[in-house]
mmCIF file of all heavy atoms in Angstrom:
data_model
loop_
_atom_site.group_PDB
_atom_site.id
_atom_site.type_symbol
_atom_site.label_atom_id
_atom_site.label_comp_id
_atom_site.label_asym_id
_atom_site.label_seq_id
_atom_site.Cartn_x
_atom_site.Cartn_y
_atom_site.Cartn_z
ATOM 1 N N GLU A 702 149.994 80.720 -52.668
ATOM 2 C CA GLU A 702 150.211 80.397 -54.098
ATOM 3 C C GLU A 702 149.508 81.464 -54.967
ATOM 4 O O GLU A 702 150.072 81.869 -55.971
ATOM 5 C CB GLU A 702 149.642 79.005 -54.400
ATOM 6 C CG GLU A 702 149.843 78.480 -55.773
ATOM 7 C CD GLU A 702 148.784 78.769 -56.751
ATOM 8 O OE1 GLU A 702 147.699 79.232 -56.311
ATOM 9 O OE2 GLU A 702 148.974 78.620 -57.949
ATOM 10 N N SER A 703 148.310 81.909 -54.574
ATOM 11 C CA SER A 703 147.585 82.915 -55.311
ATOM 12 C C SER A 703 148.356 84.258 -55.300
ATOM 13 O O SER A 703 148.416 84.943 -56.311
ATOM 14 C CB SER A 703 146.210 83.069 -54.734
ATOM 15 O OG SER A 703 145.507 84.078 -55.381
ATOM 16 N N LYS A 704 148.930 84.586 -54.130
ATOM 17 C CA LYS A 704 149.668 85.880 -54.075
ATOM 18 C C LYS A 704 150.889 85.821 -54.959
ATOM 19 O O LYS A 704 151.267 86.810 -55.636
ATOM 20 C CB LYS A 704 150.085 86.142 -52.637
ATOM 21 C CG LYS A 704 148.924 86.408 -51.669
ATOM 22 C CD LYS A 704 149.390 86.593 -50.239
ATOM 23 C CE LYS A 704 148.191 86.911 -49.302
ATOM 24 N NZ LYS A 704 148.589 87.040 -47.886
ATOM 25 N N ALA A 705 151.562 84.654 -54.987
ATOM 26 C CA ALA A 705 152.711 84.495 -55.889
ATOM 27 C C ALA A 705 152.329 84.623 -57.330
ATOM 28 O O ALA A 705 153.015 85.282 -58.129
ATOM 29 C CB ALA A 705 153.416 83.120 -55.628
ATOM 30 N N GLN A 706 151.149 84.107 -57.704
ATOM 31 C CA GLN A 706 150.678 84.136 -59.094
ATOM 32 C C GLN A 706 150.372 85.648 -59.450
ATOM 33 O O GLN A 706 150.702 86.034 -60.574
ATOM 34 C CB GLN A 706 149.450 83.265 -59.228
ATOM 35 C CG GLN A 706 149.714 81.803 -59.121
ATOM 36 C CD GLN A 706 150.401 81.177 -60.288
ATOM 37 O OE1 GLN A 706 151.255 81.841 -60.926
ATOM 38 N NE2 GLN A 706 150.111 79.932 -60.600
ATOM 39 N N ILE A 707 149.792 86.353 -58.566
ATOM 40 C CA ILE A 707 149.500 87.765 -58.871
ATOM 41 C C ILE A 707 150.821 88.539 -59.110
ATOM 42 O O ILE A 707 150.918 89.382 -60.036
ATOM 43 C CB ILE A 707 148.735 88.428 -57.711
ATOM 44 C CG1 ILE A 707 147.301 87.814 -57.623
ATOM 45 C CG2 ILE A 707 148.612 89.895 -57.930
ATOM 46 C CD1 ILE A 707 146.448 88.047 -58.832
ATOM 47 N N LEU A 708 151.837 88.280 -58.288
ATOM 48 C CA LEU A 708 153.141 88.916 -58.488
ATOM 49 C C LEU A 708 153.740 88.571 -59.852
ATOM 50 O O LEU A 708 154.185 89.435 -60.587
ATOM 51 C CB LEU A 708 154.074 88.478 -57.375
ATOM 52 C CG LEU A 708 155.522 89.002 -57.469
ATOM 53 C CD1 LEU A 708 155.486 90.473 -57.461
ATOM 54 C CD2 LEU A 708 156.347 88.384 -56.338
ATOM 55 N N PHE A 709 153.645 87.301 -60.208
ATOM 56 C CA PHE A 709 154.157 86.868 -61.520
ATOM 57 C C PHE A 709 153.396 87.569 -62.656
ATOM 58 O O PHE A 709 153.999 87.904 -63.699
ATOM 59 C CB PHE A 709 154.021 85.319 -61.665
ATOM 60 C CG PHE A 709 154.966 84.541 -60.781
ATOM 61 C CD1 PHE A 709 154.547 83.332 -60.241
ATOM 62 C CD2 PHE A 709 156.237 85.003 -60.484
ATOM 63 C CE1 PHE A 709 155.400 82.598 -59.437
ATOM 64 C CE2 PHE A 709 157.106 84.317 -59.680
ATOM 65 C CZ PHE A 709 156.664 83.073 -59.139
ATOM 66 N N PHE A 710 152.068 87.717 -62.493
ATOM 67 C CA PHE A 710 151.298 88.333 -63.491
ATOM 68 C C PHE A 710 151.673 89.811 -63.769
ATOM 69 O O PHE A 710 151.803 90.230 -64.887
ATOM 70 C CB PHE A 710 149.829 88.269 -63.148
ATOM 71 C CG PHE A 710 148.842 88.719 -64.192
ATOM 72 C CD1 PHE A 710 148.662 87.983 -65.356
ATOM 73 C CD2 PHE A 710 148.147 89.907 -64.007
ATOM 74 C CE1 PHE A 710 147.772 88.449 -66.333
ATOM 75 C CE2 PHE A 710 147.259 90.355 -64.962
ATOM 76 C CZ PHE A 710 147.067 89.655 -66.146
ATOM 77 N N LEU A 711 151.914 90.489 -62.646
ATOM 78 C CA LEU A 711 152.364 91.878 -62.783
ATOM 79 C C LEU A 711 153.695 91.990 -63.487
ATOM 80 O O LEU A 711 153.930 92.836 -64.362
ATOM 81 C CB LEU A 711 152.415 92.543 -61.428
ATOM 82 C CG LEU A 711 151.038 92.688 -60.696
ATOM 83 C CD1 LEU A 711 151.236 93.290 -59.300
ATOM 84 C CD2 LEU A 711 150.083 93.635 -61.518
ATOM 85 N N VAL A 712 154.642 91.086 -63.154
ATOM 86 C CA VAL A 712 155.941 91.082 -63.740
ATOM 87 C C VAL A 712 155.856 90.826 -65.243
ATOM 88 O O VAL A 712 156.532 91.460 -66.114
ATOM 89 C CB VAL A 712 156.894 90.030 -63.096
ATOM 90 C CG1 VAL A 712 158.178 89.866 -63.891
ATOM 91 C CG2 VAL A 712 157.149 90.399 -61.653
ATOM 92 N N LEU A 713 154.923 89.930 -65.650
ATOM 93 C CA LEU A 713 154.719 89.579 -67.067
ATOM 94 C C LEU A 713 154.192 90.751 -67.778
ATOM 95 O O LEU A 713 154.627 91.091 -68.955
ATOM 96 C CB LEU A 713 153.777 88.396 -67.209
ATOM 97 C CG LEU A 713 154.493 87.000 -67.248
ATOM 98 C CD1 LEU A 713 153.437 85.949 -67.160
ATOM 99 C CD2 LEU A 713 155.285 86.844 -68.473
ATOM 100 N N LEU A 714 153.180 91.483 -67.243
ATOM 101 C CA LEU A 714 152.686 92.649 -67.936
ATOM 102 C C LEU A 714 153.751 93.731 -68.121
ATOM 103 O O LEU A 714 153.845 94.336 -69.189
ATOM 104 C CB LEU A 714 151.539 93.222 -67.099
ATOM 105 C CG LEU A 714 150.233 92.359 -67.014
ATOM 106 C CD1 LEU A 714 149.146 93.065 -66.219
ATOM 107 C CD2 LEU A 714 149.710 92.015 -68.413
ATOM 108 N N ILE A 715 154.608 93.875 -67.144
ATOM 109 C CA ILE A 715 155.716 94.853 -67.268
ATOM 110 C C ILE A 715 156.670 94.436 -68.340
ATOM 111 O O ILE A 715 157.130 95.200 -69.204
ATOM 112 C CB ILE A 715 156.424 95.006 -65.951
ATOM 113 C CG1 ILE A 715 155.483 95.680 -64.905
ATOM 114 C CG2 ILE A 715 157.699 95.889 -66.115
ATOM 115 C CD1 ILE A 715 156.072 95.712 -63.516
#
Side-chain angles (χ1 to χ4, degrees):
E702 187 267 350
S703 176
K704 291 176 180 178
Q706 293 285 35
I707 294 296
L708 176 62
F709 290 146
F710 186 70
L711 294 175
V712 172
L713 270 171
L714 292 182
I715 294 172

